[in-house]
Amino acid sequence: MENLVKRAAKDLAESKYAIALTGAGMSTESEIPDFRGPKGIWTTNKEAEAKAYQRYELFRNDPKAYWEEILGLRGTYGTFHEKIRKAQPNPGHYALAGLEALGILKCVMTQNIDGLHKKAGSQRVLEYHGSVNAVRCISCGSRFAREEISLDELPPHCKCGAVLKDDVVHFKEPIPLDVMTESENEALQCDLMIICGTSAVVYPFANLPRMARFHSSGLVMDLDLVENKTNVRIIEVNADPTPLTHEGVSDYLIQGKTGELLPRIVEEVRKVR
Ligand code: APR
């Protein structure tokens, strides 16, 4: 393990354009359960998973009922959001913010809606699946901080007149174009990608490492068809191997907890810089 920590530190120190990709595993040490791990929300609550697949449709068909669910006036989803809003970053989040402050990490692209990277001080954070702290207009694309919006009357409306939605991206909902385009550009220009706490099975986010590896902006499914960009270092820090490990998209996996491993890696980076 120590060798892999030192190897990652050396790779980061030598990198010219390093980026981080993160998932729910980053926040389990902040008491927010992940989705597909042994104690994951989907693993332990199939009903919640089924409901999650209906949420975007609910918004489309009945935005008032949708907002009542979001605000916890219906069901348990609202309380889950409340729990997330109260959570605090853990040493893993602070380690990535530290790497950015050292000028090594250029951005964090996260699937997490909890806002903990920003709370930990990361400046450039692309929230690919949105945030519980914001609302978004699906017509004009404007985003507002949650507290800026009156929720006295549901559903709330944008200044353009359209109905506002929670910023969180639900299953079957298109990823907002601005964050999707920026994330793809980052994946295509990085020379190092460190992937932390994700099972890497949810698309289109899971395509970003393949885009970096194969330098292809299309959906990379047939590995024989694309050039393998060897000068990109792809490191996984995760409790379990993922399809990226098995397919050889990543160069190596450091298996363990992000809250323990990332601070050790940053400590080593400070030594070798
Ligand atoms: N340190 C490292 N890895 C961890 C830790 C930890 N402390 N805790 C859990 N893990 C690992 C799990 O073993 C699992 O491989 O993190 C991964 C989390 O995977 P998922 O639960 O699938 O979460 P994620 O990949 O972020 O899910 C993607 O799916 O449900 C949707 O929209 C939701 O953004 C989410 C997306």
Side-chain angles (χ1 to χ4, degrees):
M1 177 68 76
E2 203 43 41
N3 293 345
L4 287 175
V5 167
K6 283 192 164 53
R7 183 177 171 189
K10 184 170 172 295
D11 286 342
L12 281 159
E14 288 168 1
S15 69
K16 295 201 178 33
Y17 202 94
I19 64 174
L21 271 62
T22 73
M26 277 292 301
S27 299
T28 54
E29 293 159 88
S30 295
E31 312 308 323
I32 300 176
D34 62 11
F35 299 95
R36 296 171 192 82
K39 298 196 199 102
I41 301 169
W42 306 153
T43 315
T44 56
N45 187 341
K46 289 296 168 204
E47 197 208 330
E49 187 176 19
K51 272 202 143 183
Y53 277 87
Q54 292 149 11
R55 198 151 283 125
Y56 185 53
E57 217 169 307
L58 176 65
F59 171 75
R60 306 292 300 195
N61 301 337
D62 186 349
K64 184 167 182 294
Y66 166 84
W67 271 100
E68 286 168 350
E69 196 168 272
I70 295 287
L71 297 174
L73 307 174
R74 278 166 182 242
T76 58
Y77 187 61
T79 37
F80 174 58
H81 270 208
E82 222 31 61
K83 190 170 174 214
I84 289 181
R85 250 181 238 105
K86 292 201 180 84
Q88 293 306 319
N90 65 59
H93 296 102
Y94 289 112
L96 293 182
L99 268 182
E100 184 188 40
L102 286 171
I104 289 178
L105 208 58
K106 308 306 182 200
C107 83
V108 173
M109 307 198 298
T110 187
Q111 297 166 94
N112 300 344
I113 62 174
D114 54 34
L116 293 183
H117 287 297
K118 288 182 178 175
K119 254 188 197 170
S122 286
Q123 299 303 308
R124 187 136 187 271
V125 181
L126 299 175
E127 294 172 314
Y128 201 83
H129 291 161
S131 166
V132 290
N133 300 316
V135 300
R136 174 168 38 90
C137 174
I138 59 163
S139 170
C140 71
S142 303
R143 287 187 182 82
F144 307 92
R146 183 82 181 250
E147 50 282 357
E148 278 178 59
I149 298 296
S150 156
L151 295 169
D152 299 344
E153 253 189 72
L154 299 178
H157 284 74
C158 178
K159 55 186 184 322
C160 76
V163 172
L164 285 171
K165 191 187 150 294
D166 190 56
D167 185 41
V168 172
V169 178
H170 303 296
F171 288 118
K172 301 180 201 164
E173 179 180 354
I175 305 290
L177 202 55
D178 53 356
V179 72
M180 183 139 143
T181 313
E182 218 177 322
S183 301
E184 292 188 355
N185 291 340
E186 292 297 314
L188 290 172
Q189 69 173 314
C190 73
D191 66 355
L192 185 146
M193 184 180 270
I194 184 161
I195 308 172
C196 314
T198 179
S199 59
V201 297
V202 173
Y203 284 79
F205 191 87
N207 197 40
L208 295 167
R210 291 177 175 80
M211 289 176 70
R213 170 58 70 220
F214 303 109
H215 214 239
S216 160
S217 54
L219 190 59
V220 179
M221 296 312 278
D222 188 336
L223 304 185
D224 301 329
L225 292 178
V226 284
E227 170 226 348
N228 187 336
K229 233 189 123 192
T230 50
N231 63 345
V232 173
R233 280 277 166 281
I234 300 185
I235 308 164
E236 290 182 277
V237 181
N238 204 52
D240 302 298
T242 74
L244 301 173
T245 330
H246 301 309
E247 291 167 26
V249 174
S250 63
D251 291 289
Y252 54 96
L253 162 70
I254 312 180
Q255 199 161 354
K257 291 187 169 189
T258 49
E260 291 164 12
L261 289 169
L262 292 173
R264 282 170 58 189
I265 292 170
V266 177
E267 209 181 302
E268 279 300 319
V269 168
R270 292 184 199 283
K271 286 186 203 150
V272 297
R273 273 179 58 98

